[in-house]
Amino acid sequence: MKTSEQPNLRLVFGGLLLVMLLAALDQTIVATALPTIVGDLGGLDHISWVVTAYLLAQTAVTPLYGKLGDMYGRKVVLQAGLIVFLIGSALCGQSQSLDELIAFRALQGLGGGGLMVSAQAAIGDVVPPRERGRYTGLFGAVFGLASIAGPLLGGFLTSDFSWRWIFYVNLPLGILAFFVLAATLPSVTERVHHVVDYLGTALLAAGLTAIVLAASLGGTSYAWGSPFIVSLAIAGVLLLAAFALAERRAAEPVLPPRLLTNRVFVVTGAVGFVVGFALFGAVTYLPLFLQVVKGATPTGSGLQLLPLMGGLLITSILSGQLITRTGRYKPFPIAGTAVMTVGLYLLSTMSPSSSLVSISLFMFILGLGLGMVMQVLILAVQNAVDYSDLGVATSGATLFRSIGGSLGTAVLGAIFANRLTSELKSVFPGGVAGHAGTGSQVNPQAIAKLPSLLRLGYLHAFTNALSTVFLVASAFAVIAFALSWFIRQLPLRETVASPDMADTFASPRGSDSLAVVIEQIGRLDRREGAREIIRRVALRAGVELDPAACWLLARLSGAAPLQIPDLAERAHVEASTLTHARDRLLELGLIALDPDATLTYELTAAGHSTLERLTSTGEERLKDLLECWRPDEHADLARLIASLAHEFFIDDSALPEGIQAPVTAVAS
């Protein structure tokens, strides 16, 4: 890519990162604002739906957006998703009841799911294949940043402005991103024909919604045995059964039935479901405890969640490094689910007298466990499936975790509401509970002003209800621990041997196998570096050239005549570096002065032969890395390998470190 195009690429990538940040933030930004929202709007029994509605809607549409982007262009689909997201955000800020807020959060999620998938896919429209892994890695970092910053930002906006600003803040940022992308993101004319599985998507969304509604409303708004709850439960089961049947007949199913015969996919999907269940449940209800029981401000409760995220980051990084060194990934989900179980159980022992130090320690332990599990599940799936299923298996793994988050938040919310109602009836005489800010509302400020005896009774009931939530979550973690022993340890392919933060915070993505391979090769390149790759290829090809000479040989092979000073200026490299490389090429007879142009060089027959040998050896190296995915049987994979083998030799990062400023990609 030319230097003049660089500012546009920076703008495009900045806009895409902003879009991803907006969508990811809204998964957790409401957590620290929930007590204030419920105190304002009421509806404590259905507090979990403020989170669940967004997650459920986002999960349901994720498989759809990727294929729509292929069919109609990423730009228009991304802009449409952004408009839906912003409309939902504006309406959320205007909500006058909890029911309205839940409905508008679902609308916001319908747009948010499209933002994540389309933003990641759009990178392929503006970045060369070998560079994409570097950029998609930053998406994972942004997703992780949002998971950490969401509760903190939500608390700050709620404390210093209003809870409505956690939604209004999306508007100026989203509008800026919309116009940046409108001006800079290219409208790709090439279209990919897909048979979109609308029926499967609709059945999956309807089935999940019915089950989540039954779990959330049962025992609170309706009795568990009421015809409405029973009908919802039956409808949910029947709709999911119909989804399974529809997938057998779909040309391009959301979840191919053949994946369910892959034991690694099934087991990791089940473990991922529980991880999502525990993570979103904890993030939703911990701020509630910290504000109501410990008297923290919304901002303070966000800060007090940092031990959870800190523990997660530590073990995510360490487990990735250890997997790279040992080649073994199975021990980590086993240890992680065990530690996660301990952390959730310890959280269930919290009481009004618990110190902040002990609570922080419990959250830190939970984070340590989560960090050892999340990224390994993606790695294990990618390592166990055929190339043709690589994309859909990767998206399926994150889909299960999203479903777990949706159902877990609703189920834990129903348990909390039922237990709190029961506890309050046993603690308070009739009519007193209403004065405590209980029932449908909970207001931390009002609770703090209660007479001492009533306040202690309320906090005791509230703590007991939350203890049950974490105790149930720990029971689910025990199930995940048992399941993790059944994950098969397979030899790692080199392209997926080192998980990174993008896997830890893997967001839903499209089901393009080629995109997953490109991302993995990009990560491999980041680990080795372009100079080291070229050095190895030259050694394997028997070519006695250093990386700078190989780079210059490839640059001089183009049709346009190039002078060394001009090339050095364009590549931001010292002229002496290229002069030394030129002299070496002249010495070996690989280039000669161009008789038709002044001070320019052209490749000799030996030069063309040497470059062809380097390129073909690079192709062989990539084929070796992807051997388990049989590149010779997949035309798109073969074309990618041929393209990447040439790109390695024209990357400016192959030049000596510290004096070049790459022009082929934004520094990342």
Side-chain angles (χ1 to χ4, degrees), residues 278-279 282 286 307-308 335-350 358-370 372 466-467 469-475 477-478:
L279 175 63
L286 279 171
L308 171 66
T337 50
V339 174
M340 187 174 75
T341 301
V342 172
L344 288 168
Y345 174 76
L346 291 173
L347 288 172
S348 75
T349 66
M350 293 187 303
S358 62
I359 294 170
S360 297
L361 177 61
F362 298 164
M363 288 191 288
F364 182 71
I365 291 172
L366 175 60
L368 290 176
L370 288 168
M372 284 188 278
L466 277 179
S467 294
V469 166
F470 290 115
L471 198 60
V472 171
S474 67
V478 170

Side-chain angles (χ1 to χ4, degrees), residues 368-393:
L368 290 176
L370 288 168
M372 284 188 278
V373 181
M374 295 172 71
Q375 63 181 346
V376 180
L377 300 179
I378 302 292
L379 178 146
V381 166
Q382 291 180 341
N383 194 59
V385 298
D386 185 75
Y387 169 76
S388 58
D389 289 328
L390 184 58
V392 74

Side-chain angles (χ1 to χ4, degrees), residues 435-651:
H435 298 289
T438 60
S440 65
Q441 290 186 300
V442 55
N443 190 316
Q445 290 75 29
I447 293 168
K449 295 177 182 178
L450 287 173
S452 178
L453 187 61
L454 289 179
R455 183 171 61 85
L456 289 176
Y458 178 81
L459 294 182
H460 178 76
F462 195 90
T463 303
N464 285 346
L466 277 179
S467 294
T468 304
V469 166
F470 290 115
L471 198 60
V472 171
S474 67
F476 272 85
V478 170
I479 297 173
F481 173 71
L483 288 171
S484 63
W485 286 91
F486 294 95
I487 296 176
R488 292 178 61 193
Q489 173 67 57
L490 300 174
L492 278 175
R493 296 163 177 150
E494 189 173 347
T495 47
V496 292
S498 178
D500 62 16
M501 296 307 297
D503 291 321
T504 301
F505 297 102
S507 53
R509 61 191 80 184
S511 55
D512 183 354
S513 294
L514 191 64
V516 177
V517 171
I518 289 172
E519 181 180 346
Q520 297 295 349
I521 291 177
R523 294 182 193 177
L524 182 68
D525 179 22
R526 291 204 306 277
R527 292 198 300 272
E528 294 188 358
R531 285 182 301 280
E532 178 61 18
I533 290 173
I534 293 178
R535 188 190 67 78
R536 292 186 184 185
V537 169
L539 183 64
R540 180 170 170 175
V543 174
E544 296 181 359
L545 293 176
D546 61 21
C550 291
W551 180 89
L552 182 59
L553 186 68
R555 286 290 187 180
L556 295 177
S557 66
L562 292 172
Q563 293 188 0
I564 298 299
D566 294 339
L567 190 54
E569 182 180 356
R570 287 172 53 184
H572 298 274
V573 62
E574 293 178 2
S576 59
T577 299
L578 295 189
T579 300
H580 177 76
R582 178 205 61 190
D583 292 344
R584 178 60 175 161
L585 295 176
L586 285 170
E587 178 186 345
L588 296 176
L590 302 181
I591 61 173
L593 277 170
D594 185 349
D596 299 323
T598 305
L599 296 178
T600 61
Y601 298 86
E602 61 180 5
L603 269 62
T604 63
H608 283 291
S609 176
T610 299
L611 182 59
E612 184 178 348
R613 196 178 349 151
L614 286 170
T615 304
S616 62
T617 303
E619 287 189 42
E620 291 173 5
R621 173 184 178 276
L622 289 172
K623 286 180 180 179
D624 289 345
L625 292 178
L626 303 175
E627 182 180 6
C628 293
W629 286 325
R630 304 190 304 277
D632 293 336
E633 297 182 14
H634 303 281
D636 57 346
L637 201 52
R639 286 193 296 270
L640 170 69
I641 288 173
S643 172
L644 293 181
H646 178 69
E647 285 187 27
F648 278 125
F649 297 102
I650 59 172
D651 183 0

